[in-house]
Amino acid sequence: MNSTWLIYFVYIIPLIALGLILALIFFLAYNWRFLSDAIGFGMRGKRKQQKKRSKRTIEFILSLSVWLIAIQILFQTCGGIFCTSSQAANSSHVQQLVTGSGPRPELPSVEALSQLDDIIQANWFYTAFLGLIAVSSVIIIRAIKVSWEEMKEPIIEIPTSQAEGIIAVEDAIHILESQETPDPRTRIINCYRRMIQAAQHLGTPITSDQTARELETAIRKMLMLKGSAITDLTDLFEEARYSSHPITEQNGEEARQHLLAIAEEMKLPVSV
C-alpha cells in the first residue's frame, strides 16, 4: 500500500507522546482552579440527585477493567509498572515490519530519525507521568473540598438575601449613574464592590486574594442568578481594574445594562 511513511511516524511517536503529556500538564496547571470548581460543582450535583447508581457502577467496572488491562500489558512488556530497560529501535527491523521481507526503498534521513529513541529517554516519561499525577491530585483534592462546601446548608434566609440583593443592585446602578465620580473606570469598580459588600454582609466569606471569578460565584449565589449578565459585568470589572487602556462612558453604560438585566432576571422592582 506504499505506506513507508509509517516508518517515519513510528520514530516520532515518542516525541509526540512526550509533547502531548507536557501540554496536558501545562493545561491542567494553568486552569487548575476552574477545573477543580467545575468538578466540585458536578460532584455536588451528583450527590444531590442520588440517582443512576447502576450506571456509575458500570462506569467504575469499565474503568477498573481498563486499568487492569493496562497494568497487565506493562507487566508483560516491561516487567513492571515502569520499564526496567529500554532498547533502541533497530531501523532495519522497523522498515521490515512495514515493507516486508522484499527489497526496501531508500528513505532519506530515516537513520537519523531512528536515533530519536536514544534522545528521548524513558525517565522523561516517568517524570512527566508523576508530574501529571501531582497536578491532577491537587485538582481532585480541591474539587472534593469545593463539593463539600457547596453541600453545606445555606444559613442565610431567602427573604433577607432578596432584600439585600434589591438594595445592592439599586445602589450599584445609582453609582454608575452618579456624576460625582467622572471616571467611568472608578464607577464600574465601585458598583461591583457594592455587590461584593452585599455578599459579604450576608455571610459569604470574601478574602483579598480571591479572583474575579470567585467573587462572581459569591455574587451569583447571593442573588441566585443563572444568566450571563453577572459574568459580563465581572468581565467589565476585571477590565476596569486590571487593564491599562482607557475605560469610556460606553463601558459604563454597558455595565448599567448588565445590572438592569440582573434586576430583570431577579424580577426585582428596581427604581431607576
Side-chain angles (χ1 to χ4, degrees):
M1 298 178 64
N2 195 25
S3 58
T4 53
W5 59 270
L6 284 173
I7 298 174
Y8 293 94
F9 180 71
V10 166
Y11 290 131
I12 63 174
I13 282 178
L15 186 61
I16 294 175
L18 185 61
L20 290 175
I21 294 175
L22 294 178
L24 180 59
I25 293 175
F26 175 79
F27 175 79
L28 293 176
Y30 186 75
N31 298 283
W32 73 280
R33 279 180 175 270
F34 300 110
L35 292 172
S36 59
D37 288 343
I39 295 173
F41 290 139
M43 293 170 64
R44 184 272 309 267
K46 287 185 178 180
R47 284 202 189 100
K48 285 188 174 182
Q49 291 178 357
Q50 293 294 322
K51 295 179 180 179
K52 301 181 180 179
R53 292 185 177 179
S54 59
K55 181 180 179 181
R56 276 183 282 178
T57 302
I58 294 174
E59 291 176 352
F60 173 76
I61 294 174
L62 290 176
S63 300
L64 183 61
S65 302
V66 171
W67 274 106
L68 291 175
I69 292 172
I71 293 174
Q72 181 67 22
I73 291 174
L74 284 174
F75 271 99
Q76 289 180 353
T77 57
C78 297
I81 298 297
F82 297 114
C83 294
T84 55
S85 63
S86 60
Q87 297 179 352
N90 184 278
S91 176
S92 61
H93 177 66
V94 175
Q95 292 187 50
Q96 184 175 356
L97 288 175
V98 177
T99 61
S101 58
R104 293 187 294 271
E106 292 295 330
L107 300 177
S109 305
V110 71
E111 292 295 337
L113 194 62
S114 66
Q115 300 304 316
L116 277 176
D117 276 346
D118 294 331
I119 299 175
I120 305 297
Q121 301 296 322
N123 291 333
W124 297 3
F125 285 94
Y126 304 155
T127 304
F129 180 68
L130 293 176
L132 183 61
I133 291 179
V135 175
S136 303
S137 300
V138 172
I139 293 175
I140 295 300
I141 291 173
R142 188 174 186 273
I144 295 174
K145 180 176 178 293
V146 169
S147 67
W148 280 110
E149 289 178 351
E150 290 295 320
M151 284 296 295
K152 293 179 181 178
E153 293 295 331
I155 302 176
I156 305 168
E157 296 182 357
I158 292 179
T160 305
S161 176
Q162 289 179 342
E164 187 71 27
I166 294 174
I167 298 173
V169 173
E170 285 185 339
D171 290 348
I173 294 175
H174 291 322
I175 289 172
L176 286 173
E177 293 177 339
S178 174
Q179 298 301 322
E180 296 180 1
T181 305
D183 183 18
R185 182 191 300 273
T186 304
R187 294 204 303 271
I188 292 174
I189 294 175
N190 289 341
C191 86
Y192 199 85
R193 283 177 176 171
R194 177 64 185 90
M195 307 283 285
I196 296 173
Q197 289 173 358
Q200 194 170 19
H201 183 262
L202 290 173
T204 304
I206 303 292
T207 59
S208 58
D209 62 339
Q210 285 180 313
T211 64
R213 299 304 157 191
E214 290 173 329
L215 296 175
E216 174 193 336
T217 302
I219 297 174
R220 187 182 291 275
K221 289 174 59 178
M222 175 192 70
L223 302 179
M224 294 175 290
L225 300 174
K226 296 182 179 179
S228 61
I230 184 61
T231 301
D232 297 333
L233 183 63
T234 303
D235 291 338
L236 278 174
F237 165 73
E238 215 170 6
E239 183 179 357
R241 184 176 181 182
Y242 299 110
S243 68
S244 58
H245 61 77
I247 300 296
T248 64
E249 290 294 340
Q250 182 179 357
N251 299 125
E253 179 59 25
E254 289 177 3
R256 180 177 175 275
Q257 293 300 323
H258 296 325
L259 282 169
L260 292 177
I262 291 173
E264 183 179 354
E265 180 183 350
M266 296 174 62
K267 296 181 174 57
L268 300 179
V270 182
S271 56
V272 292

